[in-house]
């Protein structure tokens, strides 16, 4: 039969650049009726209750807070309410400070070039920070990690690159095709997804030794 | 008596001082996050909800710090440095309180918390001295646009329970540590921005 809606659950809130953020939720049961969802929030100590400013930009079951709705170092108390004709249900509150939910987008423009220096062969991998992350002013400080494996290989070899945007890799197998990916992390926050894969073939003509 | 011979001592550059400051500020926030995790790992979800107290009650809330990138970028180097100095100075006494409290905290991880509080207290002091050195290098007159009485001397602050039972100790510790964690994130962000501007 038809029932009031089940309890929604806020699954995650993330900010890609400490300037905006998005929250997502998972609906509970709909109770067999058309169910409407609304996200509400309060900010640190103020009793004023606001509703989500933008339900569209972040996709389904999400709320996007653009710059004018985002303030860092403040605690947002966030809840989602599910409502249908027979009643409503409210999620557990989620407490969010944008400073602690930063997960950047992936690095961009990854290039992998086989080259030599003083006849020593190596692979030079370069990349750019994610476009939206302001690393120039110092508002965001990113660290990078790169991984590489032969095309048919199963195990990735990881290399931590710190704040650099370039990394040189030695000891590769001539003739082999390699896959290279890079991801990044703010000083205090979450690793991004891995970048798109870059393929590079190591030429045959030169013998690569350890 | 400087270690190196007369005249051959190179003055430390502001960029080097800011680089060192950034390493310490990074450590402060990482450590306070680790301490928060130590503390929270042993609390049932229900108790965590009870412990949530608005951080607007933190004793440093009276210091009007910026709340987004645009506001931060508009501040001058000196204003940012002075703000960092004020935040650091305002935590001297409360961190000593946390060190004392950690020793008898009714919590399974109180040993680990004690070590972390002791380091936080020492590193905050070190960073405060370093920031003062930078400020004096940039502004030998010593006059700064912020006055130190912006932050009232800490005497427990509005956010703390007056009780002395086990739960009050835990609540107060959790609240103060949450306040410090947030302020250390601000400090780290400001110092790294200053470092970037200086290079």
């Amino acid at each position: 039969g038809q029932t009031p809606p089940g309890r929604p659950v806020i699954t995650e809130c993330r900010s890609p650049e400490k300037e905006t953020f998005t929250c997502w939720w998972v609906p509970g049961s709909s109770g067999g009726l058309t169910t409407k969802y609304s996200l509400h929030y309060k900010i640190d100590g103020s009793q004023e209750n606001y509703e989500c400013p933008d339900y569209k930009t972040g996709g389904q079951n999400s709320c996007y807070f653009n710059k004018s709705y985002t303030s860092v170092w403040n605690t947002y108390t966030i809840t989602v309410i599910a409502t249908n004709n027979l009643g409503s249900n409210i999620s557990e509150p989620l407490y969010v400070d944008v400073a602690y939910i930063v997960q950047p987008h992936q690095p961009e423009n990854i290039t992998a070039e086989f080259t030599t220096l003083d006849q020593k062969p190596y692979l030079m991998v370069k990349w750019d920070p994610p476009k939206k992350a302001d690393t120039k002013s110092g508002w965001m400080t990113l660290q990078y990690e790169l991984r590489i494996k032969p095309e048919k290989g199963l195990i990735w070899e990881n290399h931590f690159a710190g704040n650099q945007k370039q990394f040189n890799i030695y000891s590769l197998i001539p003739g082999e095709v390699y896959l290279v990916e890079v991801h990044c992390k703010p000083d205090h926050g979450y690793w991004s997804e891995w970048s798109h894969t870059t393929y590079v073939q190591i030429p045959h003509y030169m013998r690569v030794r350890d | 008596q400087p270690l190196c011979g007369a005249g051959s001592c190179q003055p430390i550059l502001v960029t080097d001082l800011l680089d060192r400051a950034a390493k310490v500020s990074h450590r402060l926030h990482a450590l306070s996050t680790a301490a928060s995790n130590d503390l929270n790992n042993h609390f049932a979800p229900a108790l965590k909800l009870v412990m949530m107290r608005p951080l607007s009650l933190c004793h440093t809330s009276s210091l009007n710090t910026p709340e987004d990138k645009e506001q931060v970028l508009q501040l001058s180097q000196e204003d940012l440095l002075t703000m960092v100095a004020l935040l650091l100075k305002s935590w001297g006494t409360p961190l000593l309180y946390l060190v004392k409290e950690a020793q008898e905290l009714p919590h399974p991880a109180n040993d680990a918390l004690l070590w972390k509080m002791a380091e936080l207290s020492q590193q905050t002091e070190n960073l405060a001295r370093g920031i003062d050195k930078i400020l004096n290098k940039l502004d030998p007159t010593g006059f700064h646009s912020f006055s130190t009485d912006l932050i009232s001397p800490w005497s427990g602050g509005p956010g703390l329970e007056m009780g002395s039972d086990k739960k009050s100790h835990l609540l107060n510790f959790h609240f103060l540590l949450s306040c410090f964690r947030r302020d250390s994130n601000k400090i780290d962000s400001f110092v790294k921005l200053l470092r970037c501007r200086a290079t």
Side-chain angles (χ1 to χ4, degrees), chain A residues 12-24:
Chain A
E12 186 176 82
C13 295
R14 287 290 179 269
S15 167
E17 71 310 64
K18 225 169 40 172
E19 296 178 60
T20 67
F21 70 103
T22 304
C23 294
W24 293 267

Side-chain angles (χ1 to χ4, degrees), chain A residues 18-19 44-45 67 70-75 92 95 97 99-100 134-139 141 187-188, chain B residues 26 29-30 49 52 54-56 66-69 72-73 181-182 185-186 188-190 192-193 195-196:
Chain A
K18 225 169 40 172
E19 296 178 60
D44 229 355
K67 286 184 182 181
T70 298
S71 72
V72 190
W73 303 305
N74 270 305
T75 304
E92 286 276 343
Y95 299 90
D97 184 330
Y100 303 148
D134 176 1
T135 53
K136 281 201 171 56
S137 74
W139 177 248
T141 306
D187 269 353
H188 307 291
Chain B
H26 181 93
H29 183 63
L49 285 181
M52 283 304 299
L55 298 190
S56 49
E67 292 182 343
D68 60 39
K69 185 176 97 167
V72 175
L73 295 185
R181 182 182 178 217
R182 170 177 286 180
N185 189 282
K186 289 182 185 179
D188 191 42
S189 294
F190 299 161
K192 280 169 182 166
L193 207 119
R195 176 181 63 177
C196 224

